[in-house]
Structures are given as structure tokens and as C-alpha cells.
Amino acid sequence: MPKPNARYNRVIEELGGIDLQLLGIGRNGHIGFNEPGAAFEKYTHCVDLTASTIEANQRFFASADDVPRQAYTMGICSIMHVRKVLLIASGEDKAEAVYQSFSVR
């Protein structure tokens, strides 16, 4: 049986790609659980979440021990093949991440 990420990538390809990708941005600048510095050549894959991402997601769980430490995510390469991307940043605590993500260096 193929790995979940391989099946996911195959389904995307068989359906002709993705028209619209809805992404959130994390306080540390991660998009779709692709932490800063993630490899751009990756398609859907399993990632180890950083401490800051785990902490940010604690509010969704009854106990800190229940927060997942890993997640499947579409990689940057997958996201770059999407026809349109809508990036959502909610809360003032994400302003710096948005600024850093779009500022010219």
C-alpha cells in the first residue's frame, strides 16, 4: 500500500491539480505546517512540528499531551503548483510574520 502522502500526491495529479489553496500563516511564518527553512522541493509529506507550532495549537486540545507532534502537509512544491493561493493571517500576533514573509530583502 502506498504511503498516505504518495496517494495524496497521486490524487492531486489525477484530478488535474488544485485550483485554490487556502493557507494560514503561523506566528513563526510557517504556511501549511511548512516550518521556516523547509525544503522547497517537497510535495505532501509528514513534518515534525516545532515547539512554537505545538504551543500555538494547544488551545484546540484538552491537554498539552494531546497536541500532535507531527502533521501531514502539502509541501512548498505542491503549493507552488496551485493555480491560486489565499493566505489568511488572523490576529495581531501574526503581523510580524506577514511583514517578514513579504518584505523585500
Side-chain angles (χ1 to χ4, degrees), residues 13-32:
E13 185 178 327
E14 289 172 356
L15 294 174
I18 296 174
D19 291 326
L20 177 66
Q21 176 79 39
L22 176 62
L23 289 174
I25 187 167
R27 286 181 277 176
N28 68 354
H30 77 257
I31 55 170

Side-chain angles (χ1 to χ4, degrees), residues 7-105:
R7 288 195 313 259
Y8 192 79
N9 292 329
R10 188 183 69 244
V11 167
I12 291 170
E13 185 178 327
E14 289 172 356
L15 294 174
I18 296 174
D19 291 326
L20 177 66
Q21 176 79 39
L22 176 62
L23 289 174
I25 187 167
R27 286 181 277 176
N28 68 354
H30 77 257
I31 55 170
F33 291 125
N34 292 285
E35 300 289 356
F40 269 55
E41 69 274 3
K42 291 202 175 196
Y43 287 87
T44 305
H45 61 286
C46 185
V47 296
D48 294 323
L49 302 178
T50 64
S52 65
T53 299
I54 293 167
E55 179 185 330
N57 284 292
Q58 283 183 3
R59 69 184 188 272
F60 301 118
F61 296 88
S63 162
D65 293 334
D66 295 335
V67 182
R69 300 311 196 244
Q70 292 183 310
Y72 274 96
T73 186
M74 290 182 65
I76 301 295
C77 193
S78 297
I79 294 167
M80 295 301 291
H81 285 91
V82 172
R83 290 175 188 86
K84 294 202 185 274
V85 174
L86 178 59
L87 181 70
I88 305 258
S90 59
E92 288 182 31
D93 58 338
K94 297 189 179 171
E96 184 63 23
V98 172
Y99 176 78
Q100 292 296 325
S101 297
F102 292 98
S103 64
V104 178
R105 300 190 202 296

